[in-house]
Amino acid sequence: MDRVAIFNTDNNRCAYFLFENPGELSLRSQGQEAGEASETLDCTYTGSLAKVAFPTKDISDILAHFHSAKVSLTLTGAEGPCGIAGEEDADCLVIIMPMKIVEETYYSEEDIA
């Protein structure tokens, strides 16, 4: 998460969790001025959610409190609450809200006839 956070800006301060390939979680961050970061982790997941975004600093702070080697994220949707629990942290359950994903278009090419 620390490497992903390097590329956060005031306008884009989230980490995107992408479930594009079975068995993989891609973490991505990008800022138009700062550049882009991407990390891939092994994971097991079920469901059809393709992309969710969390504030990078918030999710990093939350994960730092867990002592477990593995944590589980229970996602209810791209904009619904997410529960985070650790295998070895039986008394700890954290609820976090994802950020709304808004796709920005910086420019578009128009056909000239």
Side-chain angles (χ1 to χ4, degrees), residues 22-45:
E24 284 186 358
L25 167 64
S26 294
L27 300 173
R28 292 199 184 134
S29 175
Q30 91 180 51
Q32 187 175 3
E33 308 86 25
E36 182 177 331
S38 180
E39 295 286 334
T40 303
L41 304 171
D42 293 330
C43 78
T44 303
Y45 66 91

Side-chain angles (χ1 to χ4, degrees), residues 19-20 45-52 75-78:
F19 304 95
E20 300 171 323
Y45 66 91
T46 59
S48 60
L49 185 63
K51 184 178 187 180
V52 65
L75 303 163
T76 61

Side-chain angles (χ1 to χ4, degrees), residues 72-91:
S72 298
L73 280 71
T74 304
L75 303 163
T76 61
E79 296 181 24
C82 171
I84 303 174
E87 289 180 342
E88 299 167 20
D89 298 283
D91 296 334

